[in-house]
């Protein structure tokens, strides 16, 4: 079998016949199969068996009575049940156009890649079919933050949230994956050193039925990031916390020597911004220092951002406290959190932004010593 198309399904009966027909047409002339991994509680299995009887290519049904790991677990089960060189993973509701499958496969072969991602976020792609403004906003924010957490592993992947991709079966160590929730591609890319290329695609409208994404999936996604140890965010946060403690210590010390408290605060802020920068350079982004920017540029960008962020945050605090009844400490806590996330994204995606590589580039999300992103694996483990 050359190509196995893996389709996780949860109550997708009305979409099955059309999906099988279009996959079949798209893969004409190849040795291919379709593998449904089904956790449905409706008559989807029967619909799959009917479509299988009519189909020209083999259609397999794996029905799980104990749906461990949800969507990700289903995809992993599908990958484990196939032997073909390439696996294509796609949704069962036709939001992923089957006609793109040959393009994914051709890109993988031509560019000698391990994973071909159908991306909504490169030129020619679009997430038009993602329903609702809030859902689109959450999706974009999650994408930006995730790419900031894994800047090298996701160097060549603009859409780690997509559920449509092709993978060279031998390049992924299935044992390394911890399936939970909806985001299996992120799991694959974060834990395996694979070469990635992308093909744009338009995320269409659902053919029939309803989406299964909900708030609970969002929480599972946060758990997934935590299990991946938040990538670089962990080290960044640890150094930030040390910096805050250092800041207070310097202020106390200066005041003990009779320095006026506001001057002491400014000196403490400047000293911690510079030492934080040096620590982040050394421990969090050391492998991204050679991506093009000069060290003075990086320091200026970092210092400029932190200075502007502190000023703006203080101003916003004043605005919030004067026009709302939110207590100042609660307002400051919210602003500090938002400021921290923005600072992290800015450093990872601007100051240390990795260049895209050709398909030969491996992303290795690792740092030496205590801040190493060990959970994300390394070259030795993945290959
Ligand atoms: N086997 C199985 N088990 N399949 C599931 C489960 C489950 O617990 N939950 C959902 N699915 C199937 C659905 O039947 C569908 O084929 C596919 O997974 C995607 O689910 P949707 O409910 O259509 O999700 P969506 O359209 O909101 O989300 C899509 O977009 C995301 C990006 O924004 C999916 O493609 C996600 O994979 C993708 O991350
Ligand atoms: Mn869908």
């Amino acid at each position: 079998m050359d190509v196995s198309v893996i389709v996780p399904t949860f109550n997708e009966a009305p979409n099955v016949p059309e999906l099988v027909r279009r996959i079949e047409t798209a893969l004409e002339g190849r040795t291919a199969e379709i593998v449904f991994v089904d956790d449905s509680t409706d008559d989807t299995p029967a619909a799959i068996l009917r479509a299988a009887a009519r189909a020209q290519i083999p259609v397999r049904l794996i029905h799980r009575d104990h749906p461990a790991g949800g969507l990700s677990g289903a995809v992993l089960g599908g990958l484990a049940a196939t032997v073909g060189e390439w696996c294509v993973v796609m949704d069962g509701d036709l939001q992923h156009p089957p006609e793109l499958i040959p393009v994914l496969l051709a890109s993988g072969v031509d560019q000698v890649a391990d994973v071909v991602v159908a991306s909504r976020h490169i030129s020619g792609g679009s997430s038009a079919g993602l329903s609702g403004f809030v859902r689109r906003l959450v999706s974009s924010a999650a994408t930006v933050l995730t790419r900031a957490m894994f800047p090298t592993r996701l160097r060549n992947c603009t859409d780690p949230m997509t559920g449509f991709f092709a993978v060279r079966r031998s390049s992924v160590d299935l044992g390394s994956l911890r399936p939970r929730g909806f985001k299996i591609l992120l799991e694959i890319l974060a834990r395996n050193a694979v070469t990635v290329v992308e093909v744009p695609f338009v995320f269409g409208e659902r053919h029939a039925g309803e989406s299964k994404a909900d708030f609970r999936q969002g929480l599972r996604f946060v758990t997934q990031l935590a299990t991946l140890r938040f990538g670089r965010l962990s080290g960044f946060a640890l150094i930030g916390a040390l910096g805050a403690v250092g800041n207070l210590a310097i202020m106390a010390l200066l005041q003990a020597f009779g320095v006026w408290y506001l001057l002491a605060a400014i000196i403490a802020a400047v000293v911690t911004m510079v030492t934080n920068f040096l620590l982040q350079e050394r421990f969090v982004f050391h492998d991204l220092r050679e991506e093009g920017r000069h060290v003075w540029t990086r320091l200026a960008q970092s210092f400029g951002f932190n200075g502007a962020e502190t000023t703006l945050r203080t101003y916003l605090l004043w605005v919030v406290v004067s026009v709302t009844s939110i207590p100042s400490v609660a307002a400051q806590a919210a602003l500090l959190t938002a400021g921290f996330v923005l600072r992290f994204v800015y450093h990872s995606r601007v100051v240390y932004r990795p260049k895209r590589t050709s398909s030969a580039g491996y992303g290795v999300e690792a740092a030496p010593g205590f801040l190493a992103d060990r959970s994300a694996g390394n070259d030795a483990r993945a290959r």
Side-chain angles (χ1 to χ4, degrees):
M1 206 59 67
D2 282 347
V3 187
S4 300
V5 180
I6 298 169
V7 186
T9 46
F10 184 81
N11 299 352
E12 301 287 2
N15 295 317
V16 169
E18 171 87 353
L19 180 73
V20 170
R21 197 182 56 69
R22 280 171 62 184
I23 294 178
E24 224 173 25
T25 312
L27 289 179
E28 222 168 80
R30 293 175 198 255
T31 337
E33 64 170 348
I34 307 177
V35 181
F36 283 96
V37 188
D38 181 64
D39 296 336
S40 298
T41 50
D42 69 354
D43 60 346
T44 305
I48 294 171
L49 293 177
R50 275 198 303 278
R54 248 179 287 126
Q56 307 291 315
I57 60 172
V59 175
R60 285 201 271 154
L61 166 63
I62 302 174
H63 181 77
R64 307 194 305 165
D65 287 322
H66 303 285
L71 170 52
S72 290
V75 171
L76 187 58
L79 289 170
T82 58
V83 290
E85 188 184 356
W86 283 93
C87 288
V88 174
V89 176
M90 68 189 300
D91 291 354
D93 56 3
L94 290 158
Q95 287 189 287
H96 296 156
E99 294 67 33
L100 199 69
I101 298 175
V103 182
L104 294 178
L105 295 170
S107 301
V109 172
D110 293 350
Q111 302 181 56
V112 208
D114 298 320
V115 176
V116 186
V117 173
S119 169
R120 297 164 291 179
H121 306 312
I122 49 174
S123 145
S126 138
S127 46
L130 206 56
S131 55
F133 173 74
V134 173
R135 176 85 203 269
R136 276 203 291 277
L137 194 71
V138 169
S139 173
S140 312
T143 303
V144 169
L145 191 59
T146 306
R147 290 196 73 198
M149 288 177 192
F150 302 97
T152 52
R153 285 276 157 126
L154 300 181
R155 179 196 291 273
N156 296 322
C157 180
T158 57
D159 196 354
M161 309 296 163
T162 188
F164 193 14
F165 55 93
V167 49
R168 203 184 283 274
R169 183 64 185 67
S170 57
S171 68
V172 176
D173 170 16
L174 298 185
S176 73
L177 308 179
R178 302 280 168 276
R180 65 179 74 222
F182 265 37
K183 304 305 172 193
I184 188 69
L185 177 63
L186 173 63
E187 198 67 28
I188 292 176
L189 298 183
R191 295 194 198 267
N192 292 269
V194 287
T195 51
V196 181
V197 296
E198 292 192 316
V199 168
F201 96 105
V202 175
F203 188 70
E205 302 277 343
R206 224 175 203 281
H207 182 67
E210 328 184 316
S211 170
K212 283 86 196 175
D214 55 14
F215 185 67
R216 198 151 16 113
Q217 293 302 336
L219 289 183
R220 291 225 178 92
F221 172 62
V222 175
T223 326
Q224 181 187 16
L225 290 176
T227 343
L228 290 169
R229 304 226 204 126
F230 291 102
R232 299 203 189 220
L233 183 59
S234 318
F236 193 86
L238 184 55
I239 288 172
L242 289 174
V245 174
N247 188 316
L248 296 177
I250 295 168
M251 236 185 114
L253 191 71
L254 290 174
Q255 283 182 270
F257 282 99
V259 180
W260 181 46
Y261 81 100
L262 273 186
L263 183 61
I266 292 171
I267 295 173
V270 171
V271 171
T272 31
M273 276 184 216
V274 174
T275 48
N276 268 15
F277 171 77
L278 294 173
L279 289 171
Q280 307 286 17
E281 280 259 311
R282 171 72 184 78
F283 293 110
V284 182
F285 297 111
H286 65 99
D287 56 332
L288 292 173
R289 284 180 303 199
E290 307 309 325
E291 296 282 329
R293 278 168 214 76
H294 195 272
V295 61
W296 290 108
T297 311
R298 298 195 296 267
L299 177 60
Q301 285 180 329
S302 174
F303 200 84
F305 183 90
N306 292 343
E309 187 259 328
T310 310
T311 316
L312 184 67
R313 179 161 40 77
T314 312
Y315 172 70
L316 285 177
L317 180 66
W318 176 74
V319 172
V320 170
V321 171
S322 3
V323 305
T324 72
S325 57
I326 301 172
S328 58
V329 173
Q332 176 71 323
L335 287 168
L336 278 171
T337 310
F340 168 76
V341 173
L342 285 180
R343 196 176 334 128
F344 172 65
V345 169
Y346 177 82
H347 280 81
S348 195
R349 301 293 301 138
V350 178
V351 182
Y352 297 97
R353 185 186 189 92
K355 295 197 201 87
R356 261 184 107 92
T357 56
S358 64
S359 60
Y362 289 87
V364 181
E365 205 72 47
F370 72 110
L371 295 175
D373 181 9
R374 274 149 296 161
S375 61
N378 53 38
D379 279 337
R381 171 138 123 249
R383 289 217 152 202

